[in-house]
Amino acid sequence: MSGFSSEERAAPFTFEYRVFLKNEKGQYISPFHDIPIYADKDVFHMVVEVPRWSNAKMEIATKDPLNPIKQDVKKGKLRYVANLFPYKGYIWNYGAIPQTWEDPGHNDQHTGCCGDNDPIDVCEIGSKVCARGEIIAVKVLGILAMIDEGETDWKVIAINVDDPDAANYNDINDVKRLKPGYLEATVDWFRRYKVPDGKPENQFAFNAEFKDKDFAIDIIKSTHDYWRALVTKKIDGKGISCINTTVSESPFKCDPDAAKAIVDALPPPCESACTVPTDVDKWFHHQKN
């Protein structure tokens, strides 16, 4: 549907693993900077980083050229989220809205904390389990104001526009009505998911209440403004890679050949022989403990 595609480099669940995004011409692009924020009027693009039910903490690498998706690393180890009873891995398709940025230099009026230095996060609640690196179009329904170790970390609630039930979801109250318990489970998951790693529970603004669609869209638009300031060098990104192929006013814009050279310098594309079973997420998590 979107015209975008992805390409894996190296084997999944290794330090070298990367997922690069391509446009409809097969040219390498940045999922952070080159995928438009809007898929349609009032519809946003979402970059899927983590498929539902999986455990590997994959994310857009904001400091790497072209910002491929890779597995997060902490203390020299690949990161996996624990299976928090009664949940298995992530309980939604998890990802980010492109061309947004939570500015660490901006103190949010709602949370009293600065941004977490990443694109804004999305929890997609539809029935399909999406693929890592997939680009989907989503309807925004609401938002949760999480405070993660003193940083503002907004969590947008959305649904894939291609979901069979998408027409029935237009605001956060529809989620409460049609998926009873799901929003409560979302708060519970975000509150506790770092506890198995020895971290304290996360906190929330607004008493952990979800704000509605209009509020969410206003927050997304503000993070889009911060992203534009970042990619046009009006704000110092302090290590964030703003290399892109489409933002005409950006001093970081490069041509497709230069983008290709960045990718060609890495290990070759992953072949079927290096495919690892999905359950390896869980296995690797137990091995690290």
Side-chain angles (χ1 to χ4, degrees), residues 160-276:
N160 191 334
V161 296
D162 290 335
D163 189 90
D165 294 326
N168 297 323
Y169 290 86
N170 296 294
D171 212 324
I172 199 67
N173 286 329
D174 295 323
V175 185
K176 297 176 183 177
R177 177 172 54 89
L178 297 170
K179 288 183 178 285
Y182 201 13
L183 295 180
E184 291 83 354
T186 294
V187 172
D188 184 45
W189 194 95
F190 277 122
R191 188 187 304 279
R192 297 193 293 123
Y193 84 100
K194 288 188 175 182
V195 172
D197 293 327
K199 298 289 185 66
E201 291 186 349
N202 285 319
Q203 305 299 311
F204 304 89
F206 306 115
N207 295 315
E209 295 177 1
F210 289 81
K211 306 301 284 185
D212 64 14
K213 173 182 179 177
D214 290 341
F215 187 100
I217 289 176
D218 284 344
I219 295 295
I220 294 168
K221 287 180 177 178
S222 71
T223 62
H224 180 58
D225 291 339
Y226 293 124
W227 165 81
R228 187 162 295 281
L230 171 72
V231 81
T232 56
K233 213 174 182 178
K234 293 177 181 175
I235 293 178
D236 181 3
K238 296 179 180 179
I240 287 183
S241 175
C242 293
I243 293 173
N244 67 86
T245 64
T246 60
V247 186
S248 58
E249 66 271 36
S250 172
F252 305 101
K253 184 182 177 184
C254 71
D255 61 36
D257 289 339
K260 184 176 184 298
I262 290 171
V263 181
D264 286 347
L266 298 171
C270 183
E271 303 295 341
S272 58
C274 75
T275 299
V276 183

Side-chain angles (χ1 to χ4, degrees), residues 40-192:
D40 204 344
K41 187 177 185 297
D42 297 327
V43 176
F44 295 85
H45 277 126
M46 171 183 172
V47 181
V48 178
E49 298 166 315
V50 185
R52 185 165 61 244
W53 313 136
S54 63
N55 298 73
K57 184 169 176 50
M58 301 283 181
E59 57 186 27
I60 291 172
T62 57
K63 295 185 177 182
D64 290 9
L66 293 182
N67 316 113
I69 295 170
K70 70 178 183 180
Q71 191 165 353
D72 192 24
V73 175
K74 283 290 175 70
K75 296 181 179 179
K77 295 183 178 180
L78 295 168
R79 284 188 70 188
Y80 297 84
V81 300
N83 291 324
L84 289 174
F85 182 83
Y87 317 116
K88 165 66 178 80
Y90 287 72
I91 62 174
W92 351 253
N93 294 301
Y94 190 70
I97 296 178
Q99 297 187 342
T100 63
W101 181 54
E102 295 192 61
D103 182 1
H106 169 71
N107 193 292
D108 190 278
Q109 61 174 323
H110 305 293
T111 66
C113 300
C114 294
D116 72 346
N117 206 27
D118 286 321
I120 198 166
D121 297 319
V122 190
C123 303
E124 193 280 319
I125 66 170
S127 57
K128 175 188 174 184
V129 176
C130 295
R132 187 183 308 126
E134 187 174 355
I135 309 300
I136 61 174
V138 298
K139 294 167 63 174
V140 167
L141 305 173
I143 197 166
L144 177 68
M146 190 176 91
I147 301 171
D148 184 352
E149 299 182 37
E151 296 178 334
T152 300
D153 192 1
W154 292 102
K155 306 298 182 184
V156 175
I157 305 300
I159 189 166
N160 191 334
V161 296
D162 290 335
D163 189 90
D165 294 326
N168 297 323
Y169 290 86
N170 296 294
D171 212 324
I172 199 67
N173 286 329
D174 295 323
V175 185
K176 297 176 183 177
R177 177 172 54 89
L178 297 170
K179 288 183 178 285
Y182 201 13
L183 295 180
E184 291 83 354
T186 294
V187 172
D188 184 45
W189 194 95
F190 277 122
R191 188 187 304 279
R192 297 193 293 123

